[in-house]
Amino acid sequence: SWACLLEVCYLLLIICSLLPGLHLSSTPLVAGWSRIPVFAVIEHTFLQQAWLSSILLGATFLGLIGIYIAASSGLSRIALAERARGWLYFLLGTTFLFGVTLLFQPMLFSDDVFTFMFTGRLLSIYHLNPWTTIPASIPGDPYLVWVVSGRATFNVFGPLWLDITAGLSTLSSNPVVSLFIFKGFILLTHLLNSLLVWSILS
């Protein structure tokens, strides 16, 4: 039941991200969501009352925090002997469900993912040094429109992450597909981290 409530909160988070009063970072997914009539109505309604957007987002986060606390408290009362492998499958399954849900979030709280994409493209597509080249120096790139805060910033990450972003950037030249690839990769690493934490706690 806690997992169902969490999924509802994540769906609410997707709705909240479309509200104009929050001024979140746009993605190529916005156009697809805006064509859905119910979201167009919601967007128009909250455009008239921008302050409602912040209240709804705050309530959603409070709901997430409250549910996590309640669920953690309930799990802490389960005897160690009862924490069988089935709990691991439940953990990974629900984490995967929540992650897949957020893959489709149309507006993000930062444009970091597009900065990562562009950094990878600088190296893999344009064969330029991301530590000495800023995204704004490639004005014709179709990904530049989604890079906002990092447009005039050199790469600040190390060579391992740069190699990973360069490799992922070669998989697609479509911003929508690239967004799913990068977010999917992060979801995969999150699942692997969950396994790592489980093994440490065991």
Side-chain angles (χ1 to χ4, degrees):
S1 60
W2 294 121
C4 293
L5 289 174
L6 283 172
E7 178 65 11
V8 169
C9 285
Y10 285 123
L11 291 173
L12 277 175
L13 193 60
I14 289 179
I15 295 174
C16 287
S17 72
L18 284 166
L19 303 181
L22 298 177
H23 307 291
L24 301 182
S25 295
S26 184
T27 76
L29 300 179
V30 172
W33 282 98
S34 297
R35 294 193 191 101
I36 302 175
V38 64
F39 286 102
V41 172
I42 292 173
E43 185 177 11
H44 177 74
T45 301
F46 279 84
L47 187 60
Q48 307 302 317
Q49 305 289 340
W51 58 273
L52 286 174
S53 303
S54 298
I55 291 178
L56 182 57
L57 180 64
T60 302
F61 277 124
L62 287 175
L64 282 168
I65 293 170
I67 294 168
Y68 271 117
I69 291 174
S72 299
S73 175
L75 287 175
S76 66
R77 290 193 293 268
I78 297 176
L80 287 175
E82 297 176 20
R83 294 178 183 172
R85 187 172 297 273
W87 282 105
L88 173 61
Y89 297 146
F90 176 76
L91 171 69
L92 294 177
T94 53
T95 301
F96 179 76
L97 172 64
F98 302 149
V100 169
T101 300
L102 294 178
L103 284 180
F104 297 92
Q105 185 175 334
M107 301 281 282
L108 306 177
F109 292 95
S110 78
D111 64 334
D112 285 352
V113 64
F114 292 102
T115 302
F116 298 151
M117 289 182 202
F118 210 99
T119 299
R121 288 175 62 81
L122 284 174
L123 182 61
S124 63
I125 306 298
Y126 299 105
H127 307 293
L128 297 172
N129 186 348
W131 285 299
T132 59
T133 308
I134 61 175
S137 63
I138 315 290
D141 190 275
Y143 288 71
L144 186 61
V145 66
W146 311 111
V147 180
V148 180
S149 61
R151 185 169 291 200
T153 305
F154 299 114
N155 173 57
V156 296
F157 295 94
L160 176 59
W161 179 241
L162 180 58
D163 287 340
I164 292 173
T165 58
L168 294 176
S169 296
T170 62
L171 299 179
S172 176
S173 58
N174 183 303
V176 174
V177 176
S178 294
L179 180 61
F180 282 120
I181 289 173
F182 271 75
K183 292 181 75 175
F185 175 78
I186 296 302
L187 174 57
L188 176 62
T189 59
H190 183 49
L191 291 170
L192 291 175
N193 281 333
S194 299
L195 278 173
L196 178 61
V197 171
W198 179 275
S199 64
I200 293 172
L201 293 177
S202 299

